[in-house]
Amino acid sequence: MSTGHTPPTAIHVEELTRRYGDLVAVDQVSFTVPGGQMTGFVGGNGAGKTTTMRMIMGVLGIHGGRVRWGDREITTTDRRGTGYMPEERGLYPKQKVREQLIYLAQLKGMSASEAKGEVTEYLERLGLAERMDDTVESLSLGNQQRVQITAALVDQPSALILDEPFSGLDPAAVDSMADLLREHTARGVPVLFSSHQLDLVDRLCDRLVILAGGQVRAEGTPDELRQGTALRYRVVGVSDVGWVRDVLPDGGGGGRVLDVDGSTAVVELAGDPGADQQVLDRLVSEASRRGGLRELAPIITPLSEIYREATA
Amino acid sequence: MSSTTEQSTQRRDASAHDRRQSGAVWPLVAKREIMVKLRDKAFIGGTLFSLAIIVGVFGFQAWNAERDRTYDIAVTSESTQMGQTVREAAPTIDDAVTVELVQVSDDAAARAALDEGEADAWLHPGDAGWVLASTSQVSSQLLAVVQPTVTQSVLESNAEAAGTDVAALQQGSEVTTELLEGDEDRRGLAQAAGIVMAILFYMSAMLFGMTLASSVVEEKQSRIAEIIAASIPTRQLLIGKLVGNVALALGQLAIYVAVGLIGLSFTDLGGLLPSLSAGLLWFLVYFLVGFTCVAALFAVAGALASRTEDVQSTATPVTMLVLIMFFGSFFVGESARAVMAWIPPFSAIAMPVEVVAGEATWWEAVLALVPLIALTAVVLWAAERIYRRALLQTGGKLGYRQAWRAEV
């Protein structure tokens, strides 16, 4: 294994802008990819994710703004040490898997023998030991994907910029891939990956950047993003829970009842910690008076909802 | 490859990512281009097939030249004597020809012998001389033996009748030929060699040029170009691809030329080898420069395309250029070709053809190389700019002007 590249404390994207003719594809986009963390990059088609990533990697010209590597401007050398996986899938279709991974690693500056050792190790870990000498085109799409990710991971990259790395992978493969990425974040490497699969992003990433129409709509940890959203609780009683309307009457303070269906109700609290606690206590005492309480639990707002709100 | 060992030594004593210089990585790219091609069964098969044809052609020539032919000539009583003269004279004129006589009773029998294939020809006196009759075609090899023998024989009898002899009649009539430059054989060979060289240049430039263009678009289409561009400067990628493909094309040509020369040495024209070899060496030198120029344009054609299907159209200007170079080298008159030999890129084919034909000297070949190299340098510079700009554009097929101005 090579000694690896030194990761930056963070990659700062500052007011990056890219135009295609009159269209502003990326409009003053700023966000941070901290070292040692997985940052999910979400947004619909045409939101500007790929364009932003290509600008970070220097394969597309920057029309405005800059990319900082720690506390200085990013350099070609920094980019050479960065593992990059572009949007489109495909290496050289007719070349053998291991051979072309070694070639790509050599282009990054590794020696042939170093590259061979590291590539072989990765392929074995990804369950591709027996396919190393097959051509890329003979592999299934999922396996091609693994090879593609391996190309980004060799040579102990100092940062990882991955465009849709999980698309086309089955759940088990997603998990093993995520484990691999975590090894790199454990070294302090900043990882930026884009994805359409929000549940997966929710599960894997430490931070989130939501992009829409070429602009950043939200950025932060999932918890931070949820803070702005309403606090909801599910109340399940032994019998009918229509009484929650007495605890939280319409127009009364402290919150509101969103839904009552037999023994289950959903309530939304005001978001004031002191008042919220009082409401919860009243719900518990009222329930025990009216036959008993089965469940009183906060509803975690799904990321998809945060995303819909952010991009609305 | 010293640069890689240098790099790997560097990396052991430093842990920072800037320990490696972005030195020359094009040898890696060139090596890959060559290795991939050398393992391509279609390429190897095609090369072997071409070699087989070259060897076959020379083999046939040699065999055809060596083999003995026996001709059966039908003679009647009135032509027997002339037939015997021909039979005796034949080996002295062409040692591969043997003449046998088929004695027939009359003209009708002679015709029958021809019809049934018992005789190849029928020699008989005609109204104003002698006739060599055959069913459909008189063998030129046979005619070459019969004609002078009959002429000589008739001359002798005519001279005798006139009271003189042939030697006296022919006194002072002989016309000998003298070529100030080269000789007849050499001229014919040079012409053939010129055409072969032009064809080889054309085929090789098209084959390797199109291969290069499609490998460029393949990289662009699969976005592996992006991975590579993030690792090394695109200039290095272009240089590597050009060097790899030019080396492959030149290597293949050199093998063809070498096998051709060896083949030639087995034929009657073997004595002309030394004069021809110099011209062929110039051909390889001019191909090296000329194809580098063409290859750079093919790489641009590949970068302008966005899908493999586009290459045909983006490469059209380049294939037209190669076609003009091809036809310009031997379909124009000799004086026009002498001019073409100085104008790049046409000189790439025309000048070596001139050298082989003995029309240009070595120093002219050296001199004409200068403008060709200059043009190639300019083309390389422009190609690098367009290639770099076009390679990472993802929005579909580009025009030359569009790519030239494209923002990076």
Side-chain angles (χ1 to χ4, degrees):
Chain A
M1 279 274 169
S2 65
T3 47
H5 303 262
T6 315
T9 50
I11 296 174
H12 303 281
V13 172
E14 294 177 350
E15 301 189 337
L16 269 190
T17 301
R18 172 77 201 193
R19 289 176 296 272
Y20 290 108
D22 292 335
L23 174 81
V24 184
V26 173
D27 188 5
Q28 304 205 322
V29 162
S30 301
F31 59 88
T32 298
V33 187
Q37 293 193 16
M38 302 243 286
T39 302
F41 201 22
V42 294
N45 297 323
K49 304 187 299 289
T50 297
T51 304
T52 305
M53 290 177 134
R54 294 180 78 212
M55 282 193 283
I56 296 174
M57 285 313 296
V59 296
L60 188 67
I62 295 172
H63 288 169
R66 56 186 185 153
V67 179
R68 281 201 300 125
W69 185 264
D71 46 15
R72 57 179 174 80
E73 200 88 11
I74 192 168
T75 65
T76 309
T77 321
D78 296 331
R79 285 171 169 141
R80 277 188 88 189
T82 300
Y84 172 52
M85 175 173 171
E87 180 189 27
E88 220 80 7
R89 300 298 166 247
L91 299 158
Y92 290 108
K94 289 183 182 0
Q95 201 177 3
K96 288 172 184 168
V97 171
R98 180 161 68 168
E99 192 182 277
Q100 70 175 297
L101 286 176
I102 292 173
Y103 168 67
L104 292 174
Q106 280 182 288
L107 290 185
K108 288 184 177 183
M110 288 183 97
S111 74
S113 59
E114 266 178 323
K116 189 176 180 183
E118 200 172 317
V119 163
T120 308
E121 201 178 308
Y122 268 120
L123 289 176
E124 279 167 358
R125 282 191 53 183
L126 291 170
L128 288 169
E130 268 138 47
R131 311 299 304 270
M132 287 195 290
D133 291 324
D134 292 351
T135 58
V136 168
E137 64 184 354
S138 71
L139 300 184
S140 68
L141 284 177
N143 279 339
Q144 290 188 17
Q145 182 89 342
R146 287 172 222 227
V147 174
Q148 180 93 34
I149 295 176
T150 307
L153 296 182
V154 286
D155 197 26
Q156 298 279 304
S158 49
L160 286 168
I161 307 288
L162 312 170
D163 203 349
E164 295 282 347
F166 298 108
S167 74
L169 292 182
D170 62 45
V174 167
D175 286 345
S176 61
M177 204 62 75
D179 288 345
L180 264 179
L181 294 184
R182 295 232 173 269
E183 285 177 22
H184 289 274
T185 53
R187 289 195 295 121
V189 168
V191 178
L192 177 69
F193 72 94
S194 68
S195 181
H196 284 110
Q197 296 152 277
L198 292 166
D199 52 331
L200 196 135
V201 172
D202 197 8
R203 194 157 54 85
L204 297 179
C205 70
D206 305 304
R207 283 176 67 80
L208 201 63
V209 176
I210 298 177
L211 207 62
Q215 292 174 326
V216 173
R217 294 297 169 87
E219 184 198 357
T221 65
D223 282 346
E224 282 167 2
L225 293 181
R226 283 194 178 94
Q227 255 164 24
T229 65
L231 222 50
R232 288 172 188 178
Y233 280 81
R234 182 169 40 239
V235 184
V236 183
V238 174
S239 54
D240 188 90
V241 291
W243 50 263
V244 294
R245 294 191 196 282
D246 302 336
V247 178
L248 287 166
D250 280 351
R256 61 197 177 110
V257 178
L258 293 177
D259 183 45
V260 178
D261 182 15
S263 58
T264 304
V266 176
V267 298
E268 188 177 281
L269 304 188
D272 167 20
D276 285 355
Q277 193 56 52
Q278 280 183 10
V279 174
L280 290 174
D281 289 346
R282 280 180 58 204
L283 284 170
V284 172
S285 58
E286 201 66 16
S288 41
R289 278 204 312 121
R290 307 212 187 199
L293 184 68
R294 286 243 166 90
E295 185 188 326
L296 178 62
I299 299 171
I300 309 281
T301 319
L303 197 58
S304 51
E305 198 156 313
I306 297 175
Y307 173 76
R308 266 193 292 275
E309 279 175 25
T311 59
Chain B
M1 237 157 283
S2 64
S3 61
T4 28
T5 33
E6 198 179 295
Q7 282 166 7
S8 60
T9 333
Q10 278 172 5
R11 57 175 303 149
R12 259 184 273 286
D13 54 47
S15 60
H17 48 73
D18 53 6
R19 68 197 179 275
R20 282 173 287 194
Q21 316 295 314
S22 49
V25 278
W26 61 262
L28 275 172
V29 179
K31 189 176 139 203
R32 180 188 172 274
E33 291 289 315
I34 293 171
M35 292 313 290
V36 164
K37 204 73 186 157
L38 290 184
R39 270 184 269 154
D40 180 356
K41 290 194 185 74
F43 172 70
I44 295 298
T47 306
L48 290 178
F49 183 71
S50 303
L51 280 176
I53 288 179
I54 296 173
V55 170
V57 165
F58 282 112
F60 176 77
Q61 290 283 351
W63 169 77
N64 201 29
E66 292 299 308
R67 74 185 171 150
D68 294 336
R69 289 296 308 268
T70 300
Y71 294 97
D72 294 321
I73 298 182
V75 285
T76 54
S77 53
E78 50 184 347
S79 58
T80 308
Q81 202 186 348
M82 186 59 87
Q84 274 165 356
T85 313
V86 169
R87 189 180 64 189
E88 283 156 23
T92 66
I93 297 173
D94 183 344
D95 60 7
V97 173
T98 311
V99 169
E100 295 290 348
L101 298 183
V102 180
Q103 197 71 47
V104 292
S105 50
D106 52 21
D107 291 1
R111 285 205 179 82
L114 280 180
D115 285 343
E116 283 155 33
E118 287 169 17
D120 298 306
W122 167 34
L123 183 65
H124 63 98
D127 296 336
W130 286 82
V131 176
L132 185 66
S134 195
T135 40
S136 58
Q137 195 187 3
V138 177
S139 156
S140 59
Q141 198 177 19
L142 178 59
L143 190 62
V145 169
V146 173
Q147 210 162 29
T149 316
V150 172
T151 307
Q152 183 72 16
S153 168
V154 172
L155 259 182
E156 271 168 19
S157 47
N158 288 353
E160 216 170 77
T164 176
D165 63 11
V166 176
L169 277 177
Q170 283 179 336
Q171 184 77 43
S173 71
E174 195 174 341
V175 176
T176 53
T177 57
E178 186 184 35
L179 294 176
L180 297 179
E181 286 179 42
D183 55 38
E184 207 69 57
D185 277 351
R186 189 197 145 136
R187 194 161 287 272
L189 187 66
Q191 215 155 34
I195 293 173
V196 169
M197 278 173 1
I199 292 174
L200 276 181
F201 190 108
Y202 173 75
M203 282 180 24
S204 204
M206 291 300 271
L207 173 71
F208 286 95
M210 285 309 277
T211 308
L212 177 60
S214 43
S215 97
V216 169
V217 73
E218 181 194 26
E219 286 170 356
K220 184 181 174 181
Q221 194 175 9
S222 70
R223 302 285 166 89
I224 195 167
E226 286 190 16
I227 300 180
I228 296 173
S231 299
I232 63 172
T234 44
R235 183 195 306 257
Q236 298 275 324
L237 176 62
L238 177 63
I239 295 173
K241 294 187 80 74
L242 285 178
V243 170
N245 279 281
V246 170
L248 277 168
L250 194 66
Q252 197 193 47
L253 267 192
I255 292 175
Y256 289 164
V257 167
V259 170
L261 286 177
I262 293 170
L264 203 61
S265 70
F266 283 108
T267 68
D268 298 342
L269 301 172
L272 299 169
L273 267 184
S275 63
L276 198 59
S277 307
L280 286 173
L281 276 180
W282 278 114
F283 169 60
L284 292 181
V285 171
Y286 271 81
F287 179 83
L288 173 66
V289 183
F291 180 62
T292 302
C293 181
V294 171
L297 293 174
F298 271 112
V300 166
L304 291 176
S306 75
R307 297 166 302 141
T308 316
E309 295 81 358
D310 298 336
V311 174
Q312 285 296 344
S313 69
T314 56
T316 303
V318 192
T319 51
M320 288 304 292
L321 177 74
V322 177
L323 259 179
I324 294 171
M325 287 165 71
F326 172 60
F327 287 119
S329 66
F330 65 88
F331 272 124
V332 297
E334 284 197 11
S335 52
R337 195 179 67 203
V339 176
M340 294 281 247
W342 290 91
I343 304 172
F346 309 104
S347 54
I349 302 180
M351 183 46 96
V353 171
E354 289 278 289
V355 173
V356 167
E359 303 284 342
T361 55
W362 68 267
W363 61 265
E364 284 176 304
V366 173
L367 224 58
L369 208 49
V370 176
L372 182 62
I373 290 176
L375 175 76
T376 302
V378 172
V379 166
L380 279 175
W381 171 77
E384 197 269 334
R385 176 182 161 125
I386 299 181
Y387 176 82
R388 178 160 40 86
R389 281 153 193 263
L391 187 65
L392 301 170
Q393 301 282 340
T394 51
K397 202 171 82 179
L398 292 161
Y400 284 83
R401 199 172 304 168
Q402 204 181 349
W404 178 262
R405 294 191 188 144
E407 291 178 86
V408 191

